[in-house]
Amino acid sequence: MTDKHQLATQIVSVGRDKKWTKGVINPPVFRASTIVFDTMEDMRHAAKNKTNGEMFYGRRGTPTHFAFQAAVSELEGGAGTALYPSGAAAISAALLSFLQAGDHLLMVDSVYEPTRDFCSHILAGFNIETTYYDPLIGEGIRALIRPNTKVLFLESPGSITMEVQDVPTLCRIAHEHGLVTILDNTWASPINSKPFEMGVDVSIQAATKYIVGHSDVMIGTATANEQYWPQLRERSYLLGQTTSPDDVYLATRGLRTLGVRMAQHEKNALKVANWLQTRPEVDHLRHPAFETCPGHEFFKRDFSASNGLFSFVLKQGDQEAVTALVENMQHFKMGFSWGGYESLILGIFGIERIRSATKWDASKPLIRVHIGLEDPEDLIADLSAGFERFNAVLAAKVK
Ligand SMILES: *Cc1c(COP(=O)(O)O)cnc(C)c1O
């Protein structure tokens, strides 16, 4: 792991090469479709270097994009980064870059629901079969690999149920069989794990979350190692993937405070989680830094820090009681996504319906929180009042 001081310096410095910035601090917004050339020779030169930092055509990117791509590549530790208009687009383009008709895909059972839907609605129609595997399968993955298996997809931890995967073991076995390993690395962000040192070939960020950090831009990144970067880059290009330079500008701006925001999210979330652990209503925490989280030992080994996103499971309760808890909060807002500066809460039902390789106990409600940058004491008071509403609903049913 890079030590904290070096990392903090890196976050401030990455992508600020003068060839992109021309000397201003933040890489400016270059809006472009057409790039004009004075001579045929200039045009040939640009064509030759179009994947190497020369402007060629808008869809290939501008210095605004190149600076952000360089920054993400360096932080993730890969050879190159492709940009997409959302995290979901990064996932679908990465899968389509490495799968063809007749191939077989191994997909983690705790995966982000739209990724699962992409497999069943799009890949299945292309005759690409998906097998789901238990996030904690470890060595058992061997038995699921077929002669036509091409990709192993991981997401660690899963963004609702939070199982942490043994990424190095899974990637080692996948490579013994020539598979491409793709990791949805959004929870770690580019600073809290080293995906390429763990054997990942392609690391994906829903930059919408912590990189942007302010809940106002949708953007995705996929970073590949030397071996897979040319294929990822060219196929993503053929899929027509581009991003607005204004959005990229905001993502680059967000990135500069990633280190301090993440440290504060982590601190606040640990405080709230420690309090939740003492609540009689709580069955267990699904926070990777706590022993009750499946795969906690891999968190300790493979991550340098946690952040603001975790879940907790209640001992009992129905939809009505959970609704009373999550509605009418003062500080927590209800809504999808996470990674912004604000706190969010969701009561999530129906998890059992998005599982096929593992069972989910639907009798115990799960609540997911994103702990923002508010004072954690205010958030604890908010949750405390929520539990009172929750208990009142349950008590009224007993009478
Ligand atoms: C939000 C999210 C995505 C999708 O990102 P969008 O930018 O919303 O498309 C993918 N993976 C994980 C783990 C996410 O949380």
Side-chain angles (χ1 to χ4, degrees):
M1 288 283 156
T2 316
D3 79 47
K4 286 283 175 196
H5 179 69
Q6 290 174 336
L7 178 64
T9 308
Q10 209 184 3
I11 292 167
V12 170
S13 318
V14 284
R16 283 177 52 202
D17 192 312
K18 230 175 175 174
K19 71 180 177 246
W20 321 129
T21 64
K22 313 294 174 202
V24 301
I25 300 299
N26 291 327
V29 177
F30 279 79
R31 309 188 116 274
S33 56
T34 302
I35 316 294
V36 294
F37 305 98
D38 290 338
T39 64
M40 288 291 284
E41 178 47 31
D42 286 352
M43 198 181 261
R44 271 195 293 272
H45 176 82
K48 221 172 128 198
N49 293 287
K50 63 180 184 272
T51 61
N52 191 25
E54 284 289 327
M55 276 203 284
F56 174 70
Y57 178 58
R59 202 182 326 120
R60 284 277 182 190
T62 68
T64 315
H65 302 86
F66 303 151
F68 181 59
Q69 288 170 301
V72 174
S73 293
E74 184 174 333
L75 291 173
E76 288 266 55
T81 296
L83 304 181
Y84 307 87
S86 69
I91 291 164
S92 58
L95 286 169
L96 289 174
S97 293
F98 297 102
L99 289 165
Q100 298 182 45
D103 285 348
H104 175 239
L105 162 68
L106 286 171
M107 176 58 70
V108 63
D109 206 31
S110 46
V111 76
Y112 182 63
E113 192 175 352
T115 305
R116 177 180 284 268
D117 293 343
F118 178 76
C119 296
S120 49
H121 296 292
I122 308 275
L123 294 184
F126 293 164
N127 190 26
I128 296 163
E129 193 188 341
T130 303
T131 298
Y132 290 90
Y133 67 90
D134 182 335
L136 301 169
I137 197 168
E139 294 274 348
I141 196 73
R142 229 179 261 286
L144 299 180
I145 298 173
R146 304 178 191 170
N148 64 336
T149 308
K150 287 289 154 56
V151 170
L152 173 75
F153 193 100
L154 310 96
E155 179 182 321
S156 181
S159 65
I160 294 175
T161 47
M162 308 304 289
E163 298 90 339
V164 187
Q165 298 192 254
D166 185 351
V167 175
T169 296
L170 291 164
C171 289
R172 177 173 50 76
I173 296 167
H175 286 158
E176 286 170 15
H177 298 265
L179 276 53
V180 182
T181 57
I182 305 179
L183 168 71
D184 184 333
N185 195 35
T186 303
W187 191 83
S189 90
I191 64 170
N192 286 339
S193 76
K194 295 272 176 232
F196 294 94
E197 290 176 15
M198 294 193 279
V200 169
D201 297 314
V202 179
S203 176
I204 291 170
Q205 293 289 336
T208 307
K209 309 287 165 61
Y210 279 123
I211 292 178
V212 166
H214 296 72
S215 306
D216 51 3
V217 174
M218 313 248 8
I219 192 164
T221 67
T223 303
N225 56 15
E226 290 285 352
Q227 185 183 357
Y228 291 111
W229 168 235
Q231 184 165 337
L232 176 74
R233 181 190 68 217
E234 289 312 307
R235 302 224 169 157
S236 298
Y237 175 74
L238 293 177
L239 287 165
Q241 299 288 344
T242 76
T243 46
S244 150
D246 299 281
D247 290 347
V248 173
Y249 177 88
L250 286 171
T252 309
R253 202 181 211 264
L255 185 68
R256 299 304 169 202
T257 55
L258 183 63
V260 287
R261 283 187 286 111
M262 290 295 265
Q264 195 65 41
H265 281 294
E266 174 182 46
K267 198 171 152 206
N268 290 359
L270 288 174
K271 196 155 185 183
V272 173
N274 275 314
W275 175 82
L276 281 167
Q277 212 179 15
T278 68
R279 289 296 307 198
E281 299 88 348
V282 173
D283 183 80
H284 68 282
L285 290 180
R286 289 209 165 210
H287 182 312
F290 287 75
E291 268 178 20
T292 52
C293 190
H296 166 68
E297 63 272 31
F298 308 125
F299 167 78
K300 279 198 297 187
R301 186 190 62 194
D302 298 336
F303 291 75
S304 56
S306 60
N307 58 45
L309 188 79
F310 70 94
S311 298
F312 54 97
V313 174
L314 299 171
K315 285 180 184 148
Q316 56 160 340
D318 55 13
Q319 198 141 350
E320 191 189 345
V322 169
T323 300
L325 195 166
V326 298
E327 282 185 355
N328 297 308
M329 297 294 250
Q330 269 201 348
H331 305 293
F332 284 93
K333 309 295 175 197
M334 282 194 291
F336 297 103
S337 199
W338 47 277
Y341 55 81
E342 78 290 1
S343 288
L344 297 170
I345 191 163
L346 283 178
I348 302 180
F349 289 89
I351 295 169
E352 66 286 359
R353 290 197 296 271
I354 49 168
R355 294 276 159 155
S356 40
T358 54
K359 286 254 173 290
W360 179 257
D361 177 3
S363 71
K364 293 177 176 176
L366 176 142
I367 294 180
R368 188 181 79 175
V369 287
H370 177 254
I371 302 300
L373 303 180
E374 303 90 343
D375 190 306
E377 292 300 342
D378 288 332
L379 300 176
I380 288 171
D382 217 6
L383 286 165
S384 183
F387 279 124
E388 275 178 39
R389 296 191 294 271
F390 172 85
N391 288 327
V393 170
L394 290 186
K397 289 192 188 214
V398 175
K399 273 178 208 155

